[in-house]
Amino acid sequence: MQLRLENAKIAVIGLGYVGLPLAVEFGKKRPVIGFDVSAARIDALRAGRDTTLEVSTEDLTSAAQLTFTSEPRALSDCNTLIVTVPTPIDAHKRPDLTPLIRASETIGCVLKRGDVVIYESTVYPGATEEDCVPVLERTSGLRHNADFFTGYSPERINPGDKQHRLTAITKVTSGSTSEVADYVDALYASIVTAGTHKAPSIRVAEAAKVIENTQRDLNIALMNELAIIFNRMSGCSSRACACLRGAT
């Protein structure tokens, strides 16, 4: 197959704090369809309002080639479909893949030969190929790596951070074949000025996301615990921070 960046027709599925900034950046350079199951969300975005406050009205306006829809059939014109839906946990703190599976079913109904499906949602290593690909195959009747292809590029958005934005954070990329990996990497490199890092496989890229989240959560938890301890020590927290600033 021949994958050419100039022929990319992109759809971003899920327009939350991850998907919307991605759709906006791509929409500044090429035609992009932003899809969300919430009609109210689509209406707000069409009116230039982002309730997540991750994207300004000016940003939305600058993405001149970005259109919004809640109609799944509109995705049939796209050949590169990027999934950015949430992956919450259930009552037992287990991963809830329901949004991911439903997004895969929606894509499977419009999937064509030669299409590439890229996942950004946070998952455990193996989820893309073991959980999502079978859904795509079942709903489309096509075969993975023969008729359609997949990629994984974990989202690295820090909600509310106005300094470290999408384009300023190195993007990890991967693909189900070497050619697809090159295509996915080039696709993100076209908008991420900080550069990209091409992982050797989808599983490695998934594992990188797990490591990053673990490191982030452990550090946040540690700092929260220290803050509680130091606050009980009559202002020790602020004094310790002042000492650290003086030491650096």
Side-chain angles (χ1 to χ4, degrees):
M1 64 176 294
Q2 291 291 325
L3 290 168
R4 298 184 182 277
L5 192 59
E6 59 268 24
N7 296 331
K9 298 179 180 178
I10 301 170
V12 177
I13 292 87
L15 298 176
Y17 72 88
V18 174
L20 183 59
L22 185 68
V24 165
E25 289 303 322
F26 277 127
K28 294 176 182 178
K29 295 179 175 290
R30 53 177 48 88
V32 179
I33 293 178
F35 172 87
D36 200 281
V37 294
S38 170
R41 174 71 168 150
I42 295 301
D43 288 341
L45 291 173
R46 285 173 174 168
R49 301 191 308 274
D50 172 29
T51 55
T52 69
L53 303 180
E54 288 296 320
V55 173
S56 67
T57 300
E58 291 75 17
D59 286 330
L60 286 171
T61 302
S62 67
Q65 300 185 69
L66 172 61
T67 58
F68 299 105
T69 185
S70 58
E71 293 293 335
R73 61 176 177 270
L75 302 176
S76 60
D77 292 331
C78 299
N79 56 24
T80 304
L81 304 107
I82 305 176
V83 180
T84 58
V85 299
T87 46
I89 56 174
D90 62 19
H92 302 286
K93 297 187 177 181
R94 297 174 301 193
D96 180 4
L97 300 184
T98 301
L100 202 58
I101 297 303
R102 289 179 176 170
S104 298
E105 290 173 339
T106 297
I107 292 171
C109 291
V110 298
L111 201 61
K112 309 177 300 301
R113 283 179 172 80
D115 286 356
V116 177
V117 183
I118 305 169
Y119 291 90
E120 287 210 9
S121 305
T122 302
V123 295
Y124 47 82
T128 297
E129 293 159 306
E130 296 171 7
D131 295 292
C132 300
V133 165
V135 175
L136 294 172
E137 290 184 321
R138 172 173 52 81
T139 52
S140 68
L142 302 175
R143 295 175 300 158
H144 185 227
N145 283 342
D147 301 316
F148 71 92
F149 305 86
T150 53
Y152 184 76
S153 181
E155 62 89 1
R156 305 189 70 193
I157 296 294
N158 186 26
D161 189 337
K162 301 303 181 183
Q163 181 178 358
H164 302 96
R165 311 292 289 175
L166 169 66
T167 60
I169 304 172
T170 302
K171 201 79 163 71
V172 177
T173 66
S174 64
S176 57
T177 70
S178 59
E179 184 181 1
V180 172
D182 290 341
Y183 172 74
V184 173
D185 193 70
L187 185 70
Y188 283 103
S190 70
I191 62 168
V192 179
T193 55
T196 60
H197 176 82
K198 185 168 57 175
S201 70
I202 286 176
R203 285 174 181 262
V204 170
E206 290 169 329
K209 177 58 176 173
V210 172
I211 293 170
E212 181 175 43
N213 277 24
T214 300
Q215 180 267 347
R216 179 191 300 169
D217 291 345
L218 286 175
N219 277 319
I220 291 173
L222 174 60
M223 291 300 106
N224 286 339
E225 288 293 325
L226 290 175
I228 293 172
I229 294 171
F230 292 151
N231 283 334
R232 292 175 179 175
M233 294 171 62
S234 301
C236 179
S237 177
S238 59
R239 292 168 185 168
C241 288
C243 287
L244 285 175
R245 286 194 294 270
T248 55

